[in-house]
Amino acid sequence: GAVVSQHPSWVICKSGTSVKIECRSLDFQATTMFWYRQFPKKSLMLMATSNEGSKATYEQGVEKDKFLINHASLTLSTLTVTSAHPEDSSFYICSARDKVLGPRQFFGPGTRLTVL
Amino acid sequence: GIQVEQSPPDLILQEGANSTLRCNFSDSVNNLQWFHQNPWGQLINLFYIPSGTKQNGRLSATTVATERYSLLYISSSQTTDSGVYFCAVVTGGFKTIFGAGTRLFVKA
C-alpha cells in the first residue's frame, strides 16, 4: 500500500518550453504533497508543500512563477516548470502523506528533466 | 532552521562486512525516516523511527530522540546495498529536512 507514482519518468525539452510533471497517490488520499529537487550527487531540497484545494507554500528561494504547483484533488498534484532553461535540469521527486496514515511520507520514483 | 548531519559521507565496504551510519539533528523532531536511494533515483523507505529500535532483516535502526541522533546498522553487507542512504527528519511544521546522505559502495 501507499504507492506514489510520477509521470513522466524522464523528459527532454527545448529551452523556453513548459513541462508538466504529475504526481499521483494510487491507493490513499494525499492530503499533503511535497515537491523536491535533487541535483546530481546532492541531497533532496524541498521546493514546496501543497495541501489539497489550497495554494502551495514555497520554500525560500523557489520562484513560484517558475514552478507552478497545483493540488486539485486528493490523489493528484502537478508541477509545471514554465519557460524551462538548462539550469532547471534536475531530478524532481514528489512525496505524499495522508493524515490518516500519520506523518510518514511516501515518495514517487522521480522525474528526470533535461532542458536543452 | 534544523540541521541534519550524516556521517560518514562516503563508505566503501567489502561484501559481508558490517557498518554503522549516523544521523545527528540539531533540534527536536516529530519523526525520522531512513531511506535508501537506488541507482535509478528511487527512494526506498527503510525505517520510520522517531524513537527506539527497529529491525528488518539485515538492517536495524535506533533513534535516541533525547540525544538527537539516529543510527542505521547494516550487517553482512551485499553489493545490492550500494547506493545513497538518507536520513530525513520532520519538523514541528511538518517539513521534511534531508541530510546530505552517505554514499555506500559494497565491493564483491
Side-chain angles (χ1 to χ4, degrees):
Chain A
V3 177
V4 176
S5 70
Q6 277 184 245
H7 178 80
S9 55
W10 59 270
V11 57
I12 301 172
C13 69
K14 293 183 178 181
S15 187
T17 61
S18 294
V19 175
K20 180 184 285 189
I21 302 170
E22 292 186 349
C23 176
R24 294 183 184 272
S25 58
L26 300 185
D27 50 4
F28 67 100
Q29 294 186 328
T31 49
T32 306
M33 284 186 165
F34 306 85
W35 286 95
Y36 296 84
R37 183 174 182 177
Q38 186 179 30
F39 290 104
K41 298 188 177 182
K42 297 293 184 182
S43 187
L44 281 74
M45 299 296 294
L46 179 64
M47 298 174 66
T49 301
S50 72
N51 293 296
E52 186 265 338
S54 61
K55 290 184 178 180
T57 301
Y58 290 81
E59 294 299 301
Q60 191 172 8
V62 177
E63 299 177 60
K64 60 182 180 182
D65 295 330
K66 160 69 85 173
F67 300 101
L68 300 178
I69 292 171
N70 185 286
H71 190 168
S73 76
L74 283 172
T75 59
L76 174 65
S77 176
T78 59
L79 167 67
T80 301
V81 183
T82 62
S83 187
H85 291 283
E87 57 266 30
D88 299 324
S89 298
S90 193
F91 191 56
Y92 292 89
I93 305 174
C94 73
S95 71
R97 62 179 288 263
D98 176 9
K99 57 186 177 184
V100 173
L101 298 176
R104 178 186 290 192
Q105 291 184 32
F106 301 93
F107 284 79
T111 297
R112 195 164 302 280
L113 170 64
T114 302
V115 185
L116 302 177
Chain B
I2 192 169
Q3 304 294 315
V4 181
E5 296 181 353
Q6 290 187 243
S7 60
D10 298 281
L11 184 59
I12 300 175
L13 297 176
Q14 190 66 45
E15 195 170 30
N18 303 326
S19 65
T20 300
L21 282 56
R22 187 176 181 101
C23 173
N24 292 331
F25 42 97
S26 61
D27 204 348
S28 300
V29 297
N30 280 344
N31 64 70
L32 184 146
Q33 288 182 252
W34 283 97
F35 297 92
H36 175 214
Q37 188 171 38
N38 65 23
W40 297 271
Q42 174 75 59
L43 281 167
I44 310 297
N45 280 291
L46 297 177
F47 293 102
Y48 167 69
I49 185 164
S51 64
T53 297
K54 291 185 178 180
Q55 180 156 6
N56 184 2
R58 296 181 296 104
L59 303 181
S60 64
T62 295
T63 296
V64 183
T66 54
E67 297 186 22
R68 299 179 184 168
Y69 72 89
S70 183
L71 302 174
L72 177 68
Y73 306 95
I74 305 174
S75 64
S76 303
S77 58
Q78 300 176 357
T79 57
T80 51
D81 294 332
S82 297
V84 184
Y85 290 81
F86 287 107
C87 159
V89 302
V90 178
T91 68
F94 291 103
K95 287 185 180 179
T96 299
I97 308 298
F98 279 77
T102 291
R103 298 185 182 284
L104 172 65
F105 179 67
V106 181
K107 300 187 295 183

